[in-house]
Amino acid sequence: MDEKYYDAMLNVLTREDRVINPFFQYYPYEPTPYAVLKQLSDTYPLTPEDRLVDFGCGKGRTLFYLNYMFGCNVCGIEMNEKLYKDAEYNRKRYIKRHPHAAEKIEILPILAEKYEVDQKDNKFYFFHPFSVTVFKKVITNIMQSLEHHPRQADIIVYYPTEEYLCYLDHKTDFRLNSGMLIHGAYEKNKQEQILIYRYDG
């Protein structure tokens, strides 16, 4: 799938370059391939009422693509200053092309574990952005929000690690709901899949 084509369609610049995070528990920037986002959107539709949080959103690709496809609310969390500035630059470019989306896109320059989960958040996306230590803190924050404001919510994990899955399976109230193997990639690498974990409230 032509990455340049989709960047042009969204009027953003999200292709990969090497950006190292200053904290060792946060991993280098790597955008979700558009082919993966397309398969996700074909299989897992969102609604304009959904609010998806992308932890480690990088330059914002996932936010802009899913907002474009579904008109959903999206929030990106990015602790790296350079990537945050790139994401904000892309947000302005995207809104210039799609002005109706201005009120539906938020990007915050904070550590993932410092994000205060909004009661409207109901979809949480992870593409292996940080260590399982940080992941546990983020999931704990999500579960506390769900306890205070009961609602159905999904954890969407692309390229899952055994540590992530073990924690979700044994230490949380989320349960595996569905999954998809990434076409043309899973055969070579078993981590090339998306798993959806659901909390039913």
Side-chain angles (χ1 to χ4, degrees):
M1 182 171 290
D2 191 338
E3 301 273 301
K4 292 182 180 179
Y5 169 81
Y6 281 93
D7 262 10
M9 179 184 76
L10 300 173
N11 197 36
V12 297
L13 302 171
T14 65
R15 280 173 287 152
E16 183 176 358
D17 55 11
R18 192 69 171 173
V19 178
I20 304 298
N21 280 315
F23 301 106
F24 74 93
Q25 296 201 54
Y26 282 76
Y27 302 146
Y29 171 62
E30 184 179 0
T32 303
Y34 278 115
V36 173
L37 291 174
K38 184 177 186 306
Q39 186 173 340
L40 175 64
S41 63
D42 287 346
T43 309
Y44 181 78
L46 301 175
T47 73
E49 289 71 41
D50 286 324
R51 179 172 154 99
L52 178 138
V53 181
D54 180 4
F55 288 98
C57 71
K59 298 180 182 183
R61 174 182 292 187
T62 298
L63 306 177
F64 307 124
Y65 184 88
L66 293 178
N67 173 266
Y68 176 83
M69 293 299 297
F70 301 112
C72 58
N73 300 280
V74 291
C75 177
I77 308 300
E78 181 51 61
M79 54 76 65
N80 184 284
E81 183 178 359
K82 180 184 184 304
L83 290 173
Y84 168 72
K85 289 179 178 178
D86 288 344
E88 270 295 303
Y89 173 71
N90 282 326
R91 185 181 67 84
K92 292 174 183 176
R93 288 176 58 104
Y94 178 78
I95 290 172
K96 186 175 181 180
R97 179 77 58 85
H98 310 284
H100 60 280
E103 300 300 318
K104 292 206 160 194
I105 301 173
E106 182 178 19
I107 303 172
L108 301 175
I110 57 175
L111 294 169
E113 62 268 35
K114 299 296 184 182
Y115 174 64
E116 295 184 10
V117 179
D118 191 289
Q119 65 184 32
K120 296 179 182 178
D121 298 339
N122 67 336
K123 312 291 183 184
F124 303 93
Y125 182 79
F126 298 86
F127 174 21
H128 196 49
F130 33 64
S131 71
V132 70
T133 300
V134 177
F135 183 71
K136 290 177 181 180
K137 294 177 181 177
V138 173
I139 297 299
T140 296
N141 292 340
I142 293 171
M143 290 193 296
Q144 289 176 347
S145 174
L146 297 176
E147 290 172 4
H148 294 150
H149 303 283
R151 60 198 186 275
Q152 186 182 86
D154 289 350
I155 301 289
I156 306 164
V157 187
Y158 168 51
Y159 208 85
T161 66
E162 288 187 13
E163 292 176 312
Y164 274 32
L165 300 185
C166 183
Y167 182 72
L168 288 172
D169 286 331
H170 301 294
K171 299 295 184 179
T172 77
D173 293 325
F174 285 90
R175 295 293 174 261
L176 183 61
N177 179 261
S178 61
M180 61 195 79
L181 309 181
I182 304 305
H183 303 317
Y186 179 79
E187 295 78 8
K188 301 175 183 177
N189 184 345
K190 301 306 180 187
Q191 283 183 272
E192 287 286 353
Q193 58 179 315
I194 294 175
L195 299 178
I196 312 294
Y197 280 76
R198 177 161 294 174
Y199 175 82
D200 280 320

